[in-house]
Amino acid sequence: MSEASDTVTNISEEMRAAIGTVLGTRTSYPISASDIRKWAIAVYFPETPPERFVGAGGPDAPLTAPEEFNPFAWAAPGKKPKRPDVSAAFLENQLGITPPPLNTVLNGGTVVEYGVPMMEGDVITATNRLDNYTEKQGKRGLLLFSSMKDEWVNQRGEMVKRTTSTVIRL
Amino acid sequence: MNLEIGTELPPFVRETGLENWNRFAAVMDEFVPHHMDDEAGKKSGMPGAFGMGNLQSSYMHNLIRDWMGEKGRIRNFTIQWQQPNLKDTVVTARGRITAVEDTSAGKEVALELWTEDNNDRRLANGTAKVVFSA
């Protein structure tokens, strides 16, 4: 039996009890036509984006945002500039609980479910939760998978997207 | 539009480097030194500055949008990053139809997606489902 498999679990009772906890909520400013155009120009650079992302916009023909557009990137009500926590304990630091004794963080990927599109003028509210902790034995030892689910709705309460992001720690 | 299983999407190709990454940093507020500075990239174990993982996600979305046009709608999308996008490489986003199903919402097409560079390095793998309204 390897040394790694002797570790029964890195998921403490405190961590298990935190599953489902809301990590944060945020609401965007209304999405502007300029926000959409700039995003599209950046991701299609150096070619011209499709007209629906860069047209005149306005109330009669509001622009549609690209699916992966982020309305929270810069300013949002109540958002204060801060350095991101890039430590292996970032999640438990946010929860205010004791982190697992692991030092390496890998990106485990992202799963997105899309609902209605984001349009010029929309106000998006996001709720981010700790979705789950799971473990799996890997070649480098016991791997801790931590998933967070971020759900976005628009000002009418319609689901815009649900994103599940997973980080792997070892 | 040919929706047969195995059909490849027209590739989305971009030369990548600071011109792309600085623009993406500007819209994402992602001014991280290793995406902007070769020395910072080297400190992260790379040959120099490297691109954002989320820009690979956008390139896959561009690939899908350019192919499906305005009749299609992306229902879901997954991505797993494999290797960083190194400076001054050509990145190609590719996709292939893996399944087609008639649903109440329309024809649902499953896609396998990936990005690769001109040195045969796989940068990201993904999947998506697109619905074409009846």
Side-chain angles (χ1 to χ4, degrees), chain B residues 8-14 59 62-63 66 91-95 116:
Chain B
E8 294 211 358
L9 280 55
F12 178 90
V13 184
R14 287 293 183 271
Y59 285 170
N62 292 351
L63 167 84
D66 287 353
V91 172
T92 302
R94 298 185 185 278
E116 62 192 22

Side-chain angles (χ1 to χ4, degrees), chain B residues 23-44:
Chain B
R23 281 170 173 78
F24 193 67
V27 295
M28 269 293 275
D29 188 15
E30 193 174 350
F31 295 99
V32 181
H34 58 219
H35 296 317
M36 304 163 69
D37 178 71
D38 285 336
E39 289 308 311
K42 286 175 187 170
K43 282 182 188 165
S44 297

Side-chain angles (χ1 to χ4, degrees), chain A residues 90-126:
Chain A
F90 77 99
L91 181 54
E92 291 73 27
N93 288 346
Q94 216 174 331
L95 290 161
I97 63 176
T98 306
L102 303 169
N103 297 314
T104 303
V105 188
L106 304 171
N107 191 324
T110 298
V111 175
V112 186
E113 176 192 355
Y114 287 113
V116 300
M118 286 178 276
M119 307 289 292
E120 175 187 346
D122 280 357
V123 173
I124 307 299
T125 296

Side-chain angles (χ1 to χ4, degrees), chain B residues 20-82:
Chain B
N20 318 65
W21 304 339
N22 287 349
R23 281 170 173 78
F24 193 67
V27 295
M28 269 293 275
D29 188 15
E30 193 174 350
F31 295 99
V32 181
H34 58 219
H35 296 317
M36 304 163 69
D37 178 71
D38 285 336
E39 289 308 311
K42 286 175 187 170
K43 282 182 188 165
S44 297
M46 295 296 139
F50 55 95
M52 298 84 168
N54 282 325
L55 187 54
Q56 298 297 305
S57 172
S58 283
Y59 285 170
M60 286 185 182
H61 281 83
N62 292 351
L63 167 84
I64 300 168
R65 286 190 286 258
D66 287 353
W67 164 74
M68 73 180 184
E70 295 196 34
K71 289 188 175 173
R73 188 168 65 84
I74 304 174
R75 288 191 66 167
N76 61 45
F77 174 84
T78 72
I79 184 167
Q80 286 191 311
W81 292 275
Q82 305 296 312

Side-chain angles (χ1 to χ4, degrees), chain A residues 12-26:
Chain A
S12 66
E13 282 307 311
E14 195 180 27
M15 289 164 63
R16 208 175 296 282
I19 292 170
T21 299
V22 173
L23 296 163
T25 59
R26 56 212 192 279

